[in-house]
Structure formats: C-alpha cells, structure tokens
Amino acid sequence: MRERRILMLMTGVLAGVLLTEILFNLILAPRMRVSSVVLESDIAITDEAVLNLTGLDRDNWYFSLDEKSLEASLEELAVVEKAQVKKQFPNRISIRIESRKPLVMSLTMGSGELKPLIIDREGVVFLSGRKVFSYNLPLLEGVDGVWNQEGMLLSEEVIPLLEDLDRLRSVSENLYNIISEIHIVPRERGVLDIELHLTTHTIPVLLDLPVTEAKMNQAVMVVDVMEKEGLAPRIEEVDLRSGSIVYKEREA
C-alpha cells in the first residue's frame, strides 16, 4: 500500500513536470525570446550592425543573454567609448552606445603617404582616412611609436597631455579652439614639454605640463603684447616653462 502511494506520488510529480514543460514551451517560451531591441546611439551605426555584433540577429532566450558580454562585444568597436545593455522582462533589450569624443588630429605614415587620424582623451585612435578632415581639431605632432590603425593606443606618456587638453576644452573652449598645432618636445624620464602654435598669433609658445587655463591665458597675453609691439618678425619662440618669460630671437 505504501509503495503504491509512493509510486502514485512520483507519477504525479513527473506528470506535473511534464505539464509544466509543455506549458513553458507552448505559452511562456515564445514570449521570452528576445523580439524587441531598442538602440540609442550617437554614432552612425545601423541596427543590423549592432544585431550582428551582439548575436541578437539570431533567436535568443531572455535568461541566456549576459548584459556584460553584450557590452564588451560593442566596445570592441574603436569608435565606441561605452556601451550599456539592459534587459527588460520578458523579451526586450535596450542598448545605449556612447561614441568617443574627438580631441586631437594627428598624422602617421600609411601606405606610402601620410594618414590622418583622430584621437580621443584616452589616447585611442578611433577614426582615420578622409572622413577625418571634416573635424576642426588641433594637430598633434612628435608622438613616438607605431599607431596607424583604428583601435590602437598612443604611448602612456602622452595621456596626461590629452587629459589636460580635454580639461581645458571643458573649462575654456575658446582657449582650446585657438590651438592650431601641438609639437611634443620629449625630455628625460618620459616628461613632455610642448610647443604650441595658435591660430590667433604667429609666435610659438613653449609650455610644460600641466596645460592649464592660467598658462594658456598667460601665453596668449605675452605673444599678444609682443606682436602689438611689432616684435613678431624677430622672435622665433617664447618659453614660459620656467615661470618667467624667455624668448629666442631668429637668426639673421
């Protein structure tokens, strides 16, 4: 009698499991396949490209998708600074993509010709080729190393300079916008100085890091006074690195 009850109980449990599985596959499962993907992005990327990169162009179960893995697959794109993926029960995925912000332009040797590149505050090369010329950015020169492809990273000693420039742009965009060229002057132990060329003045200025709003204002003031005094043809560059004003005259 007891064995019969146990057998009936086991049969009931198995029937319940089977019924649950049938109901899940017939009713719940179809509703839990991801069928809606919402994309928010500030870069020119198609829905098809996003779906292909993340594997969302195939049938996917809601619970089988890992948000962090999807974010990592999107952030493999050089132009993507940050990706955020959120699952919304039962069948919806929300994707938000933030692009890298252009900070400086640079030139490197490509296949027998100079190749223009766009670099962000983290030193990541994320745009190259002719589309670069649509940006009006300072030209960075004198960077060592090989970094001629999108996704590559500049050497670490340049990063503090890029962070300074990004900070300058946030506190005084006008000062950032008058920077035409930045020539890196390497020193010992990886310390960098820079030679700035401004769109508003003809005399170059030597500065040390950090590049601050105060230093930029001082540089503009000094070269402005010199040029108003008619000294521009005589002066090759102004050196403000020591905290005092030192200028180098042009050779005859």
Side-chain angles (χ1 to χ4, degrees):
M1 188 72 175
R2 183 179 179 183
E3 293 178 352
R4 184 177 179 182
R5 287 180 180 177
I6 294 174
L7 181 61
M8 291 178 64
L9 179 62
M10 292 180 63
T11 303
V13 170
L14 290 175
V17 170
L18 180 61
L19 179 62
T20 300
E21 185 174 352
I22 293 173
L23 291 174
F24 177 82
N25 285 288
L26 290 179
I27 301 174
L28 188 58
R31 299 183 180 182
M32 295 186 66
R33 285 193 177 96
V34 174
S35 59
S36 176
V37 179
V38 179
L39 174 63
E40 180 184 350
S41 174
D42 59 356
I43 63 175
I45 185 170
T46 64
D47 292 350
E48 289 76 15
V50 170
L51 294 175
N52 183 260
L53 279 169
T54 56
L56 293 173
D57 54 348
R58 301 181 292 274
D59 284 341
N60 290 279
W61 297 96
Y62 176 87
F63 288 111
S64 67
L65 292 175
D66 179 68
E67 293 160 316
K68 295 300 179 184
S69 296
L70 295 176
E71 291 171 355
S73 64
L74 290 168
E75 289 173 359
E76 289 180 0
L77 288 174
V79 72
V80 175
E81 180 175 19
K82 185 178 180 181
Q84 187 177 39
V85 177
K86 289 185 178 180
K87 297 194 295 185
Q88 298 173 322
F89 190 83
N91 59 0
R92 181 185 175 101
I93 296 289
S94 176
I95 299 175
R96 187 171 186 271
I97 299 175
E98 296 179 18
S99 66
R100 296 188 180 276
K101 303 300 184 291
L103 182 66
V104 294
M105 180 188 300
S106 193
L107 297 171
T108 188
M109 184 57 68
S111 302
E113 60 181 3
L114 288 175
K115 182 178 182 181
L117 307 166
I118 293 290
I119 302 162
D120 78 338
R121 63 187 175 185
E122 296 178 348
V124 176
V125 177
F126 68 95
L127 283 176
S128 62
R130 293 185 178 181
K131 53 184 175 290
V132 167
F133 293 116
S134 62
Y135 293 91
N136 183 20
L137 298 169
L139 178 64
L140 179 65
E141 296 184 340
V143 182
D144 294 330
V146 179
W147 37 274
N148 56 8
Q149 295 181 15
E150 294 179 18
M152 299 189 75
L153 187 67
L154 267 63
S155 54
E156 290 184 3
E157 59 265 25
V158 184
I159 305 304
L161 168 61
L162 298 177
E163 291 174 345
D164 288 347
L165 292 172
D166 184 59
R167 194 176 301 110
L168 177 66
R169 178 167 59 179
S170 66
V171 298
S172 181
E173 191 171 5
N174 289 335
L175 288 173
Y176 165 81
N177 286 336
I178 67 171
I179 300 175
S180 173
E181 298 178 25
I182 307 165
H183 296 260
I184 291 179
V185 183
R187 294 168 59 190
E188 295 180 359
R189 301 182 304 278
V191 178
L192 301 178
D193 290 337
I194 59 171
E195 181 185 75
L196 286 183
H197 292 253
L198 307 177
T199 61
T200 53
H201 298 81
T202 60
I203 302 175
V205 182
L206 284 173
L207 293 177
D208 53 5
L209 301 187
V211 180
T212 63
E213 182 182 14
K215 286 183 179 179
M216 285 293 297
N217 279 322
Q218 182 191 22
V220 172
M221 181 186 67
V222 169
V223 295
D224 190 57
V225 170
M226 288 183 169
E227 292 187 0
K228 286 180 179 178
E229 293 295 324
L231 301 176
R234 292 171 45 193
I235 298 177
E236 184 173 331
E237 64 184 14
V238 175
D239 190 344
L240 301 179
R241 292 176 295 179
S242 63
S244 58
I245 302 172
V246 179
Y247 63 87
K248 179 180 178 182
E249 292 193 11
R250 297 181 185 275
E251 295 182 1

